[in-house]
């Protein structure tokens, strides 16, 4: 499943690129915002930026403006991210209320930069004046405001100590006038159209996802139960490893099991990302080829786990992880080396997936032989092979079929 994020640079008076705004795109050729729910658009941007593409690649070390709706602000979603990495951009349709003032006060205490999008002059609004005490940047849409209104905005609100960003700057004359009016930052087609970046995502399966949410809602969640559920979902396993490999969490030691990744990341952090993913559309309408690769990946994961036990190996979860990610290049349509370089897997798992002979590769090779019915020369009896293979097929089929039933009933 191909995913997209657009970024548009923001410049200061010196012409230096100081930030980017991240924008939702669905891949059509218009490079415009489609008719989509605001919550879904923002969460898509967040998941694709922070996990699928990677914020480092998108931002190049600069802050990223991200739009937040009223409901996402009420969920305290901005506080899930490092204040040094984002600017909280409050959409123009968010009403100015006591609750919004309180939310912005809390965000400022935590060190966030806050911007108001598509701002217009508001006459004698005491609540707005209180809100502006916590606002850093006012964004003004040059296409939606008259030249007189643009100047009035600066004159009226400059005493609040905010900076001003002129957006949708489309001509050199508009840029020069905005500079003369006193604007500090500039964004628009005159400088650059949004650049669309793309990557591939692995669709989430609803069944495991709902069970994880249920377990996380308990007073004392069981890590073993959460581990089992994440191991049953290739997408969540992949996102967990990508997340833990980000600069904020990158572990000193490489990962050998999903449980190790969960312990290192922490249940609170996992809970945050599960809630972010909960807002996304989970209808699961992926293409049949990708669905079959996911089925084979899960089947191979369970087969490697079962074979490792039969062959007297320790740490069966290590072998399961190897089988699960042995086809990740086919799922993401990228080179195997690049994908593995972005995941904090242990060196012996990476070597085995790349084809280097080691103890793990022996089990992976055995699984591949069983899948292709080349059962000769395997250190197991036909009955043992048949048992492992049947269990792996049944396990993967149960997961995917149960998910389809959940999707239908939902």
């Amino acid at each position: 499943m191909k995913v997209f994020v657009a970024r548009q640079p923001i410049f200061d008076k010196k012409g230096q690129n100081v930030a980017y705004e991240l924008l939702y795109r669905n891949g059509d050729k218009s490079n415009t915002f489609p008719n989509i729910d605001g919550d879904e658009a923002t969460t898509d941007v967040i998941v694709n930026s922070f996990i699928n593409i990677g914020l480092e690649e998108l931002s190049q070390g600069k802050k990223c403006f991200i739009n937040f709706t009223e409901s996402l602000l009420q969920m305290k979603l901005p506080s899930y991210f490092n204040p040094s990495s984002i600017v909280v951009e409050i959409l123009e349709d968010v009403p100015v209320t006591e609750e919004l003032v309180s939310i912005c006060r809390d965000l400022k205490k935590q060190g966030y930069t806050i911007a108001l999008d598509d701002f217009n002059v508001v006459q004698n609004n005491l609540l707005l004046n209180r809100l502006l005490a916590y606002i850093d940047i006012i964004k003004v849409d040059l296409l939606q405001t008259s030249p007189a209104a643009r100047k009035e905005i600066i004159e009226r609100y400059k005493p609040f100590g905010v900076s001003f960003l002129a957006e949708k700057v489309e001509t050199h004359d508009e840029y020069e006038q905005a500079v003369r009016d006193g604007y500090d930052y500039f964004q628009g087609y005159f400088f650059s159209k949004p650049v669309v970046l793309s990557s591939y995502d692995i669709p989430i399966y609803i069944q495991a996802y709902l069970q994880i949410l249920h377990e996380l809602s308990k007073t004392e969640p069981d890590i073993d139960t959460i581990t089992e559920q994440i191991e049953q979902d290739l997408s969540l396993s992949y996102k967990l490893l990508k997340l833990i490999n980000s600069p904020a969490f990158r572990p000193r030691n490489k990962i050998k099991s999903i449980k190790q990744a969960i312990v290192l990341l922490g249940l609170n952090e996992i809970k945050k990302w599960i809630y972010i993913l909960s807002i996304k559309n989970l209808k699961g309408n992926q293409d049949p080829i990708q669905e079959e690769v996911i089925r084979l990946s899960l089947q191979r994961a369970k087969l490697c786990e079962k074979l490792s036990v039969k062959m007297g190996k320790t740490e069966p979860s290590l072998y399961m992880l190897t089988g699960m990610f042995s086809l990740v290049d086919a799922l993401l349509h990228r080179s195997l080396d690049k994908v593995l370089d972005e995941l904090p897997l242990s060196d012996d798992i990476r070597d085995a997936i790349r084809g280097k002979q080691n103890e793990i590769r022996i089990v992976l090779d055995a699984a591949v032989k069983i899948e292709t019915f080349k059962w000769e020369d395997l250190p197991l009896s036909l009955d043992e092979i048949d048992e492992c293979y049947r269990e792996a097929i049944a396990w993967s089929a149960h997961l995917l079929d149960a998910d389809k039933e959940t999707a239908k009933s939902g």
Side-chain angles (χ1 to χ4, degrees), residues 242-267:
K242 282 279 287 187
L243 182 60
I244 203 170
N245 203 45
S246 66
F249 304 106
R250 192 164 289 152
R252 293 182 180 179
N253 300 316
K254 298 298 183 179
I255 302 300
K256 291 191 173 186
S257 69
I258 292 298
K259 185 174 182 178
Q260 180 190 3
I262 292 170
V263 172
L264 288 172
L265 191 60
L267 290 181

Side-chain angles (χ1 to χ4, degrees), residues 11 18 45 76 89 101 135 186 193-194 230 270 308-309 321 327 334 344 376 398 403:
F11 298 89
V18 294
V45 165
K76 303 188 185 301
E89 186 169 336
V101 173
I135 301 302
F186 311 89
K193 290 185 177 182
I230 291 179
I270 290 172
S308 70
V309 174
L321 200 58
L327 297 169
R334 299 174 60 202
E376 63 275 8
H398 171 74
D403 182 82

